[in-house]
Amino acid sequence: MTKTQQPAVFYINAALFDCDGTLVNSTGAISEFWRDFGKTRPHVDPEEIIRTSHGCRTFDVIAKWSPEDADVEQVTEWEGAIPDTFGEYAKPIPGSVELVKSFDKFSKEQCPNGKQRWAVVTSGTLPLATKWLKLLTIEKPDCFITAERVTKGKPHPQGYQAARDALGYKDAHYKVAVFEDAPAGITAGKGAGAMVIGICSTYEPEKVRKSGANIVVKDLSSFKIESYNKETDEFKVSVGEYYYADDEFLESSN
C-alpha cells in the first residue's frame, strides 16, 4: 500500500520524463504490436519480448530477435503506426498530463528566462512519441530526446545526459529528477546523476525499488509543484502518496 502520512519532498532544477509507461500507459498497444509482429515470424517470441524488453528501443529489440528486419527506416515506420493501429489499448498515466503542464506553466511564468525546465527522453522514435504526446494533449517540448538522437539506448545514460546538457544542467551539482517506469530507464537516469521517481505502471513496487528508484509511486496523481525559487532556480515538489521514499526526502519535508 502507498503511504500518505507524510509527504515526500524534493528540490530540483529540472524534470526529465520518459514517455511509454511514465506519461502514457502504452503497454497494451506495444504488446499488441509485438504479437502482430510475431505472427509471420516463427523465430520471434512476442511474449518473451513483452516480458523483457520494456523501456528498450524497438530497433534494438528487433536487431536481437529478427536481425533481417533491423532496417532503421522500416522500424521507424512500424513504430510510428502503433498509435494509429493499436492506440485504443493506450491511456494516460494518472496525473502525468497535469504534472507536465504544471512544470511548463511554472517555466514560462516564473523562471527568469522562460525556458522550459522539463524534457522528454524516450526509447521511442520521433513519430511514435510525437503521436503519444498529441494523444495526451501535451505540447512537444523544446528538448525532445527520441531513439534517433542517441547511439546508445537505455540502460545507457546517454539520452538523459543529453537532456541535462540541452537544458543547461550538465554539471553534477544541479539537481535533476528522472521520471521512469522501467528498470532500464531507471538505470539510465541514475547513470546520468539524477534522482529517479519510479512509476509502477509496468512493474511491481519491489522491482522498481530494487532497480534504484529513490521514490516509488503508483502514478503521478499526488505530485504537486509547491513553489519555484528564483534565487536557487529550484522547484519544490511534494508527493502525497508513495510506496517508498528515501529518508532524505522525508526529512526535508519536516
Side-chain angles (χ1 to χ4, degrees):
M1 292 186 57
T2 57
K3 303 175 184 178
T4 57
Q5 68 273 23
Q6 179 183 2
V9 176
F10 57 93
Y11 298 82
I12 55 171
N13 301 108
L16 312 180
F17 295 91
D18 173 46
C19 186
D20 297 85
T22 297
L23 299 180
V24 59
N25 189 338
S26 58
T27 301
I30 300 298
S31 297
E32 290 304 310
F33 164 76
W34 285 121
R35 292 183 180 116
D36 186 68
F37 182 79
K39 287 179 180 178
T40 56
R41 297 167 179 83
H43 57 288
V44 172
D45 184 346
E47 300 308 318
E48 181 66 12
I49 291 176
I50 293 167
R51 188 181 71 82
T52 62
S53 67
H54 185 75
C56 300
R57 295 190 301 176
T58 302
F59 180 84
D60 294 338
V61 178
I62 289 179
K64 175 182 177 181
W65 284 88
S66 190
E68 63 274 21
D69 290 308
D71 175 80
V72 173
E73 290 187 7
Q74 180 62 74
V75 172
T76 300
E77 181 180 337
W78 285 335
E79 195 175 271
I82 291 175
D84 302 319
T85 309
F86 305 109
E88 63 185 287
Y89 297 96
K91 57 184 178 180
I93 296 295
S96 63
V97 175
E98 293 82 358
L99 183 59
V100 169
K101 290 185 176 182
S102 185
F103 270 110
D104 196 53
K105 182 178 175 64
F106 268 84
S107 296
K108 293 176 179 177
E109 296 181 359
Q110 296 197 31
C111 297
N113 57 9
K115 182 179 179 181
Q116 288 179 338
R117 262 63 169 183
W118 65 279
V120 171
V121 181
T122 175
S123 296
T125 57
L126 181 61
L128 174 66
T130 298
K131 288 181 180 180
W132 285 144
L133 293 187
K134 184 176 181 180
L135 182 148
L136 296 171
T137 70
I138 293 175
E139 184 178 344
K140 188 167 67 173
D142 296 334
C143 181
F144 196 20
I145 309 296
T146 57
E148 301 93 335
R149 295 190 59 186
V150 298
T151 56
K152 297 177 181 178
K154 301 171 186 178
H156 195 281
Q158 185 183 79
Y160 282 119
Q161 190 60 59
R164 290 191 66 147
D165 295 355
L167 293 179
Y169 300 111
K170 175 181 180 179
D171 295 339
H173 70 272
Y174 288 116
K175 302 173 184 177
V176 175
V178 162
F179 291 78
E180 266 284 359
D181 71 303
I186 292 170
T187 299
K190 300 294 284 188
M195 66 163 290
V196 177
I197 292 90
I199 299 98
C200 299
S201 60
T202 311
Y203 298 95
E204 293 298 318
E206 187 64 21
K207 185 174 181 62
V208 173
R209 168 59 186 158
K210 288 183 176 180
S211 297
N214 301 103
I215 299 176
V216 180
V217 297
K218 179 181 179 181
D219 53 41
L220 301 178
S221 59
S222 72
F223 282 75
K224 181 182 180 181
I225 300 177
E226 300 285 352
S227 61
Y228 169 75
N229 187 320
K230 292 183 179 181
E231 293 185 4
T232 62
D233 187 26
E234 290 180 351
F235 297 93
K236 177 183 179 181
V237 185
S238 66
V239 191
E241 299 182 11
Y242 48 88
Y243 293 109
Y244 177 89
D246 287 348
D247 289 342
E248 64 180 289
F249 304 116
L250 301 179
E251 293 170 358
S252 63
S253 64
N254 291 330

